[in-house]
Amino acid sequence: MATTEVTESKQRKCIGVDCQNDAGSLRCPTCLKLGKESFFCAQDCFKKSWSEHKDLHKSLSNPHSALFPPETVSKLDPDTGLFNPFPTFSFTGTLRPAYPLSFLRAVPKSIPWPDYGIGGIPKSEQVFVNRNKIAVLNEKEQDAMRKVCRLAREVLDIAAREVKPGVTTDWIDQVVHQACIERESYPSPLNYYHFPKSVCTSPNEVICHGIPDQRKLVDGDILNIDVTLYHEGFHGDLNETYYVGPRALADPDSVRVVEAARDCLDEAIKIVKPDMLFRDPGRVIEKLAKERGCSVIKTYCGHGINQLFHCAPNVPHYAKNKAVGKAKPGMCFTIEPMISLGSYKDKTWPDDWTSVTIDGSRTAQFEHTLLVTEDGVEVLTARFGDSPGGKVPMPVVADGIGEQKVDGAAEVK
């Protein structure tokens, strides 16, 4: 999960009877149809409050209110039972959210939780003392990072094997959640600043922080899956972008942006070593991106990671940035360039999380968690020999038909 220098999250309170909790993404479906914003913290709270809450529906649906209908009404698709919760929002591309979201998935109490697991606020990240000090991990802590990052890679690979047309991102979230639990790990995104899911899934024009929902993937999509695990007190973070179906593999623009993002990360990792300035990866990344006819998203950056999900240092992905500090052995951080076919500017959906390109152009991202060693760098989230995905060659277009070069031949897709 990317970080940004300024994190904003609208705080909503649960409207349940005698409830003081912060609200999640759970809404009353009847209120939603009537244009009323009604958020609850959990399904149990919603059920407990139902006998009193339902009286509100009568007042909202009386004849007088019909004379002044709400400006925003989400219409339910009778065929699918799904709806777009932001019907008047000016979307930048073709993607639309598909609600309702599934309920928050449960994590057993036997698994250690991060401090935001209950309240949603990572208080440990907000301590001002040593907030800008970059942690140097000892050998035991480094081994803990190796372990959690290896587990995170396993989970991402499991999720990636589910990527195909017809699968929903909510299903991928369920797969990730279960794989985390099986590894006695907490899925780090869950309830982080009230993020409602266990993984970020970002298709097409979504830059990052996409919320898994009921939309089915279609042949031709590209999809970023961003997995982070919290295991035995440490976080491990990585992501990759995958092609959905043969149409995506045959689309030159999709392949260009995905492979540019992959190569940007690989080239940036090559310069990581002791005394590297944290402003330097951005220079390497932007140079390569421009050579491929792409731009670099500037809003989000790589970040320190250890016992904290996001901490110092910040690692911007664009040139001429003002990041401070230099790498030392024992430091852990991510590099995660977000590369766009069009503008570098972004826009956020009303869910306060989903970040999209302002012009609707496609975007791709790759991320590794890195450990600085005495003479270079160790990629803690490195791919396994059987990891799905991986680099693909650029397709060629002949007579308007996409072809994919395979071992010197052309395979029609």
Side-chain angles (χ1 to χ4, degrees):
M1 180 179 279
T3 188
T4 180
E5 293 185 10
V6 179
T7 302
E8 296 182 359
S9 182
K10 295 180 180 178
Q11 300 297 313
R12 301 188 184 96
K13 286 295 182 181
C14 176
I15 66 167
V17 176
D18 297 328
C19 183
Q20 301 299 319
N21 295 333
D22 290 328
S25 60
L26 175 62
R27 300 184 184 186
C28 169
T30 304
C31 285
L32 200 55
K33 294 177 185 177
L34 295 169
K36 173 70 175 177
E37 296 267 333
S38 298
F39 289 86
F40 292 83
C41 63
Q43 186 177 16
D44 288 343
C45 187
F46 174 62
K47 290 179 179 179
K48 182 181 69 174
S49 306
W50 175 249
S51 60
E52 295 186 27
H53 175 72
K54 66 181 181 181
D55 291 337
L56 177 65
H57 303 154
K58 298 177 183 178
S59 63
L60 289 173
S61 58
N62 66 38
H64 295 291
S65 63
L67 295 174
F68 305 97
E71 295 182 1
T72 303
V73 178
S74 298
K75 295 182 180 180
L76 198 71
D77 185 327
D79 296 327
T80 65
L82 305 179
F83 62 91
N84 170 8
F86 318 119
T88 63
F89 180 69
S90 180
F91 291 93
T92 64
T94 60
L95 199 68
R96 299 292 183 273
Y99 279 44
L101 296 181
S102 56
F103 295 121
L104 266 66
R105 306 190 193 281
V107 179
K109 293 295 184 180
S110 58
I111 294 175
W113 289 28
D115 64 348
Y116 55 84
I118 296 177
I121 303 299
K123 296 180 180 179
S124 56
E125 294 183 5
Q126 298 179 337
V127 177
F128 285 94
V129 178
N130 294 328
R131 186 174 184 176
N132 296 317
K133 183 178 180 181
I134 304 172
V136 175
L137 306 184
N138 60 37
E139 289 187 9
K140 183 177 180 180
E141 292 169 330
Q142 292 177 30
D143 285 342
M145 285 298 298
R146 289 186 179 96
K147 181 177 181 180
V148 68
C149 287
R150 184 174 65 254
L151 294 175
R153 164 55 68 181
E154 291 177 3
V155 172
L156 178 62
D157 287 355
I158 290 170
R161 292 187 179 98
E162 299 295 318
V163 174
K164 57 187 175 183
V167 168
T168 66
T169 49
D170 184 72
W171 169 251
I172 292 175
D173 179 73
Q174 181 177 330
V175 168
V176 167
H177 187 88
Q178 183 60 36
C180 291
I181 301 306
E182 290 172 355
R183 287 158 180 78
E184 298 183 344
S185 302
Y186 183 100
S188 300
L190 186 63
N191 211 31
Y192 182 78
Y193 286 106
H194 305 292
F195 187 80
K197 295 296 174 183
S198 299
V199 66
C200 296
T201 52
S202 302
N204 302 340
E205 70 264 27
V206 180
I207 298 167
C208 59
H209 304 160
I211 298 176
D213 63 13
Q214 307 301 330
R215 176 185 178 270
K216 293 181 179 180
L217 298 173
V218 299
D219 188 3
D221 285 343
I222 57 175
L223 177 70
N224 180 270
I225 304 177
D226 193 341
V227 166
T228 313
L229 265 67
Y230 181 72
H231 183 81
E232 296 180 349
F234 290 81
H235 296 271
D237 191 4
L238 77 163
N239 73 58
E240 292 192 19
T241 302
Y242 301 94
Y243 300 97
V244 183
R247 288 184 179 273
L249 287 165
D251 176 31
D253 283 339
S254 292
V255 174
R256 176 160 60 91
V257 72
V258 171
E259 299 309 322
R262 191 195 312 271
D263 291 344
C264 280
L265 175 59
D266 290 344
E267 290 302 309
I269 291 174
K270 290 179 181 179
I271 72 168
V272 178
K273 60 182 180 180
D275 294 328
M276 178 203 74
L277 300 176
F278 289 119
R279 65 173 180 258
D280 286 347
R283 170 178 49 80
V284 173
I285 290 168
E286 185 160 337
K287 180 177 183 294
L288 194 152
K290 286 184 174 179
E291 290 173 354
R292 304 288 180 87
C294 297
S295 60
V296 180
I297 304 298
K298 297 183 178 181
T299 303
Y300 305 97
C301 59
H303 54 89
I305 185 168
N306 38 67
Q307 292 96 330
L308 302 178
F309 194 173
H310 297 97
C311 55
N314 283 344
V315 187
H317 304 120
Y318 57 93
K320 299 180 181 179
N321 66 78
K322 297 181 180 180
V324 297
K326 60 183 180 180
K328 295 180 181 179
M331 289 182 176
C332 264
F333 56 89
T334 72
I335 300 178
E336 45 186 303
M338 286 148 268
I339 307 301
S340 167
L341 283 172
S343 174
Y344 68 86
K345 296 181 180 180
D346 61 285
K347 182 177 183 178
T348 303
W349 282 4
D351 60 22
D352 297 327
W353 279 106
T354 306
S355 178
V356 296
T357 51
I358 200 165
D359 56 2
S361 59
R362 289 200 164 191
T363 177
Q365 180 188 15
F366 287 82
E367 174 186 23
H368 278 306
T369 294
L370 310 172
L371 170 65
V372 182
T373 63
E374 293 293 338
D375 57 358
V377 61
E378 182 178 347
V379 182
L380 300 183
T381 49
R383 290 170 57 83
F384 300 144
D386 62 347
S387 291
K391 194 172 181 62
V392 303
M394 276 294 295
V396 296
V397 178
D399 298 326
I401 300 175
E403 298 180 341
Q404 179 82 28
K405 287 185 177 179
V406 181
D407 296 329
E411 178 184 352
V412 177
K413 294 291 184 181

